[in-house]
């Protein structure tokens, strides 16, 4: 597995659940700029 990321490389498949419980897929935003911000939620 190659761990080097280069601008222009295809993004991996990302399927997430939003804070509202909705599904969010990176593939639904193909061709548009996307900024992902990850944070750890502590209960």
């Amino acid at each position: 597995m190659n761990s080097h990321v280069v601008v222009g490389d295809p993004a991996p498949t990302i399927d997430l659940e939003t804070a509202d419980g909705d599904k969010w897929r990176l593939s639904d935003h193909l061709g548009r700029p996307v900024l992902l911000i990850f944070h750890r939620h502590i209960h």
Side-chain angles (χ1 to χ4, degrees):
M1 178 176 196
N2 186 354
S3 63
H4 294 93
V5 178
V6 178
V7 173
D9 281 355
T13 301
I14 298 177
D15 296 321
L16 304 171
E17 184 174 320
T18 68
D20 297 328
D22 296 328
K23 299 294 180 187
W24 190 94
R25 291 181 179 88
L26 183 59
S27 60
D28 292 341
H29 303 277
L30 185 65
R32 293 182 275 176
V34 174
L35 173 64
L36 299 176
I37 301 173
F38 294 93
H39 65 90
R40 186 169 67 181
H41 182 75
I42 301 173
H43 293 272

